[in-house]
């Protein structure tokens, strides 16, 4: 855990210093205005004339996602709430609640045990975002709390288990953001708190993962974005510890409607593909036509974007107290055993347990 805390502080702290330094150096070197004819300048785009009190508005809507590396199928509702809008910055609350759905296709999102039933998870972020002097960059910092009840079923390994349970995971989170007209950077830390490891059923344990990551993205067009990221995951069960990579493509179909695809790889979950869709009513793309060109600039849109990386990530593994593993009936083979109940001396098979003769 000390290693996890040190890694978290190092990642977030280092990125914070970098963004702060970049924020200062990205300010205009002088007060001399750029020529109005310079294509793409702030004056040409009308960005400097925008009142953030007009552009930054309450918005709400729906989101859905398919299962990924330790994350569930889900559909829910969310809202972005401006708390205080200043001349060049905004304090905000970003909250959502999702209905978590069962895993699909006999494939576990946890590694072995499938998610079954429905539960409701929550995620809340309190944040502050601001624009630099010529509004060519948006910077942000946020922190919050996420919860995830997890209803479990049978494993996708073919092993039958008993005593499947619903358990409750939670985490605290922090993030840093930087967005320009072409680039975006996002650093995040997800840190489980409270009880981080549970017995899921008679054969498997489940644990929430500490996850620390950094994504770097590029706007291919104003509506089409690509990003690649690195993450490190660490959990109390230990067997999922290690690094991973994450790629993402996202496309803004129309005002407030965005679809995205994600492809990740790490040694625990191996290759995982997921997709998501989000629709927000009242997003700042609904401005008057005369202002729409400026309001749709990435730095202005980013002021009301939902915060990324909100899921409590969970993985599972065989119960280590099963000395000989787990039988096809989901019960521990006693530690004296070296094989199945039928072949191990001094043990006989009496469904569903192995018991001494």
């Amino acid at each position: 855990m000390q290693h996890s805390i040190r890694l978290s502080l190092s990642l977030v702290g280092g990125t914070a210093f970098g963004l702060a330094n970049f924020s200062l150096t990205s300010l205009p070197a002088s007060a001399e205005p750029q020529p109005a004819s310079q294509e793409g300048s702030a004056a040409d785009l009308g960005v400097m004339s925008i009142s953030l009190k007009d552009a930054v508005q309450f918005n709400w809507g729906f989101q859905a996602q398919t299962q990924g590396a330790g994350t569930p199928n889900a559909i829910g509702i969310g809202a972005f709430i401006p708390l205080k809008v200043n001349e060049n910055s905004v304090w905000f609350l970003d909250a959502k609640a999702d209905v978590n759905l069962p895993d699909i296709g006999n494939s576990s999102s946890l590694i072995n045990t499938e998610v079954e039933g429905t539960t409701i998870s929550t995620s809340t972020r309190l944040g502050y975002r601001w624009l630099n002097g010529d509004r060519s960059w948006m910077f942000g910092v946020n922190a919050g709390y996420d919860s995830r009840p997890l209803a479990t079923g049978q494993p996708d390994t073919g092993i039958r288990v008993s005593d499947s349970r619903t358990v409750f995971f939670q985490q605290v989170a922090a993030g840093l953001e930087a967005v320009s007209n072409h680039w975006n950077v996002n650093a995040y830390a997800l840190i489980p708190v409270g009880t981080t490891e549970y017995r899921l059923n008679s054969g498997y344990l489940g644990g929430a993962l500490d996850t620390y990551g950094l994504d770097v993205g590029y706007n291919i067009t104003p509506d089409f974005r690509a990003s690649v990221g690195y993450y490190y995951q660490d959990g109390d069960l230990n067997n999922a510890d290690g690094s991973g990579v994450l790629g993402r493509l996202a496309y803004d179909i129309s005002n407030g409607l965005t679809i995205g695809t994600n492809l990740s790889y790490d040694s625990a979950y191996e290759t995982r593909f997921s997709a998501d869709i989000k629709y927000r009513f009242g997003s700042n793309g609904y401005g008057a036509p005369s202002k729409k060109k400026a309001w749709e600039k990435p730095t202005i849109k980013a002021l009301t974007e939902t915060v990324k990386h909100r899921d409590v990530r969970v993985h599972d593994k065989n119960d280590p107290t099963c000395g000989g593993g787990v039988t096809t009936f989901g019960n521990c083979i006693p530690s004296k055993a070296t094989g199945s109940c039928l072949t191990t001396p001094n043990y006989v098979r009496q469904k569903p347990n192995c018991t001494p003769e």
Side-chain angles (χ1 to χ4, degrees), residues 3-343:
H3 171 72
S4 299
I5 294 174
R6 288 197 300 270
L7 181 59
S8 175
L9 293 176
S10 176
L11 175 64
V12 175
T15 309
F17 176 80
L19 294 182
N21 184 57
F22 189 87
S23 177
L24 291 175
T25 58
S26 62
L27 292 174
S30 69
E32 182 179 351
Q34 295 294 322
S37 60
Q38 180 178 336
E39 185 177 357
S41 69
D44 178 59
L45 297 173
V47 174
M48 297 302 294
S49 65
I50 294 175
S51 168
L52 294 194
K53 291 186 178 180
D54 293 330
V56 178
Q57 299 289 331
F58 167 82
N59 67 75
W60 69 279
F62 304 96
Q63 66 273 336
Q65 66 182 34
T66 61
Q67 67 194 62
T71 60
N73 294 295
I75 184 170
I77 187 171
F80 178 91
I81 307 169
L83 300 177
K84 181 175 175 56
V85 181
N86 300 312
E87 181 179 352
N88 234 28
S89 62
V90 56
W91 287 94
F92 67 91
L93 181 68
D94 185 358
K96 70 170 186 171
D98 285 326
V99 176
N100 298 324
L101 304 173
D103 287 340
I104 297 175
N106 192 35
S107 177
S108 170
S109 60
L110 309 184
I111 296 177
N112 299 295
T113 304
E114 290 191 50
V115 174
E116 287 190 2
T118 57
T119 58
I120 297 178
S121 63
T122 66
S123 177
T124 304
R125 294 289 186 275
L126 177 66
Y128 177 71
R129 288 169 172 164
W130 70 98
L131 300 169
N132 70 339
D134 64 359
R135 296 188 171 183
S136 61
W137 280 87
M138 188 282 296
F139 301 94
V141 58
N142 62 79
Y145 168 84
D146 309 314
S147 68
R148 181 185 177 185
L150 174 63
T152 66
Q154 294 296 319
D156 63 5
T157 57
I159 293 174
R160 303 300 297 174
V161 298
S162 58
D163 194 25
S164 295
R165 307 174 183 183
T166 297
V167 296
F168 182 76
F169 293 104
Q170 54 189 331
Q171 69 185 14
V172 294
L176 297 167
E177 308 166 288
V179 177
S180 75
N181 288 335
H182 297 291
W183 294 96
N184 60 84
V185 181
N186 181 39
Y188 58 96
L190 310 175
I191 306 172
V193 295
T195 302
T196 61
E197 180 182 327
Y198 289 95
R199 174 174 292 281
L200 302 182
N201 48 52
S202 59
Y204 293 91
L205 304 176
L209 293 174
D210 295 75
T211 307
Y212 313 101
L214 177 68
D215 299 329
V216 179
Y218 182 77
N219 296 331
I220 300 172
T221 71
D223 297 321
F224 185 45
R225 301 179 298 279
S227 67
V228 62
Y230 163 86
Y231 60 90
Y232 179 83
Q233 60 193 22
D234 173 63
D236 291 343
L237 296 179
N238 298 322
N239 67 330
D241 297 359
S243 298
V245 291
L246 172 65
R248 176 174 172 80
L249 295 173
Y251 182 69
D252 295 334
I253 296 176
S254 62
N255 290 339
L257 178 61
T258 302
I259 59 172
T261 59
N262 310 280
L263 185 66
S264 67
Y265 178 83
D266 59 67
S267 59
Y269 296 100
E270 298 182 332
T271 302
R272 297 288 176 121
F273 174 84
S274 64
D276 54 78
I277 185 170
K278 179 185 67 176
Y279 185 74
R280 288 291 185 264
F281 298 97
S283 62
N284 59 24
Y286 286 96
S290 61
K291 296 182 178 180
K292 188 174 181 180
K293 183 178 179 181
W295 283 25
E296 288 185 341
K297 298 307 294 180
T299 55
I300 303 300
K301 289 174 63 176
L303 290 169
T304 56
E305 284 287 328
T306 57
V307 176
K308 303 175 180 64
H309 300 290
R310 314 281 289 272
D311 290 304
V312 179
R313 303 178 65 236
V314 179
H315 78 107
D316 71 343
K317 74 171 186 177
N318 292 338
D319 184 351
T321 63
C322 292
V326 180
T327 74
T328 56
F329 295 95
N331 301 99
C332 293
I333 300 173
S335 58
K336 289 176 61 178
T338 57
S340 71
C341 296
L342 292 177
T343 60

